Amino acid sequence: SVQKRAWEWFDSVLALDQKAIVAVTHVDIIKMILFKNLGIPIANKRLVVIDTGSATIFAKRGNEVVLIGANLSSRYSESL
C-alpha cells in the first residue's frame, strides 16, 4: 500500500540518525506518515487538511517518533 511504502521510506530516513532532516513531498504522503504515526485510519484522510507549503515536524526520541507540529505555516503565525 502507499502508506506502507511511505512509512518504510520514513523509517529509512530516521535510520540515518542525523540531527535534522528536511524532506519535501506530496500532501498525501505526509498524511500517510502522519496517520501511521498517530494510529488514525486512512479512511479519515479527507478530514485532515495539510496546506501547500506547510511544514510537519517529527522528532525521534529514543525509539519513539513524536509529532511536534502539523500544517505549520507562516500564514497562521499572526494568530498565535
Side-chain angles (χ1 to χ4, degrees):
S1 73
V2 173
Q3 185 179 47
K4 182 177 184 280
R5 290 192 309 271
W7 188 259
E8 287 172 352
W9 168 82
F10 185 62
D11 197 41
S12 73
V13 169
L14 292 174
L16 296 173
D17 199 31
Q18 298 294 311
K19 184 174 181 176
I21 298 170
V22 175
V24 179
T25 188
H26 188 273
V27 66
D28 282 339
I29 300 302
I30 296 168
K31 286 182 183 181
M32 296 298 107
I33 294 168
L34 180 67
F35 285 19
K36 171 79 173 170
N37 181 255
L38 298 175
I40 299 171
I42 296 173
N44 293 325
K45 81 175 194 170
R46 294 191 187 276
L47 301 175
V48 175
V49 174
I50 303 280
D51 291 333
T52 301
S54 66
T56 300
I57 303 171
F58 292 95
K60 191 173 178 183
R61 297 201 175 140
N63 291 330
E64 291 186 325
V65 178
V66 180
L67 175 66
I68 302 299
N71 203 31
L72 304 173
S73 170
S74 61
R75 178 171 76 153
Y76 299 110
S77 63
E78 294 174 7
S79 63
L80 296 177

